[in-house]
Amino acid sequence: MAFPYPVFLDLSGVPVLLVGGGHIATRKAAGLVAAGALVTVVAPSVLPELAASVTTVHERPYAAGEAAHFQLVITATDDPAVNAAVAADARAAQVWANSADDPQNCSFILPAVARRGLVTVAVSTGGA
C-alpha cells in the first residue's frame, strides 16, 4: 500500500454498508454510529446488540452489486471470499471500502484511535 493520506470523515447522515454480524462488526458499528453514519448491516446472523445499534439489518448473505448503493463499505466477516467479493463490488462502483484485518481488500485503512475530550489521535502502521 502506498503511503496513506490521513483524513477524518464527516459521516453524518452517510449511508454505510457493514457486512458482518459478529463482535468485530459490532465494534465497527459503534464507531460508525457515533460518527453519525446511517449503518446498514448485512449478514446471515447478527448479534442482538449489533442489530439494536444500527439503522437497518438484513439477516441474509451479501448480494452481488449491493455495495454500489452506499457511500462507504466495511466488511467484518471471517470469510475471505465474501470480503473479496464485497471489495471488488465496491471498487467497481467507486465506493471506498475497508475489510477488517484484510489490507488487500481495502481502498483505505483504519488507524488506531485514542480520544480525550476534543483531542483525537490516530496512529497507523500503514496496514501492517
Side-chain angles (χ1 to χ4, degrees):
M1 176 177 285
F3 185 79
Y5 183 78
V7 64
F8 287 81
L9 300 174
D10 178 1
L11 295 179
S12 302
V14 173
V16 175
L17 174 63
L18 176 56
V19 180
H23 294 289
I24 294 172
T26 301
R27 192 177 76 239
K28 299 291 183 187
L32 293 165
V33 169
L38 303 176
V39 180
T40 296
V41 171
V42 172
S45 177
V46 178
L47 291 174
E49 58 269 31
L50 173 56
S53 71
V54 299
T55 308
T56 306
V57 174
H58 298 290
E59 286 196 84
R60 58 168 172 74
Y62 173 79
E66 197 166 1
H69 302 287
F70 297 86
Q71 287 183 275
L72 190 71
V73 173
I74 307 284
T75 64
T77 79
D78 58 2
D79 186 335
V82 171
N83 295 343
V86 175
D89 282 353
R91 272 192 305 278
Q94 297 183 343
V95 173
W96 292 97
N98 175 271
S99 186
D101 296 326
D102 187 6
Q104 303 88 288
N105 286 310
C106 294
S107 55
F108 70 96
I109 55 174
L110 295 169
V113 175
R115 291 185 174 88
R116 299 291 183 269
L118 295 176
V119 177
T120 301
V121 177
V123 180
S124 173
T125 63

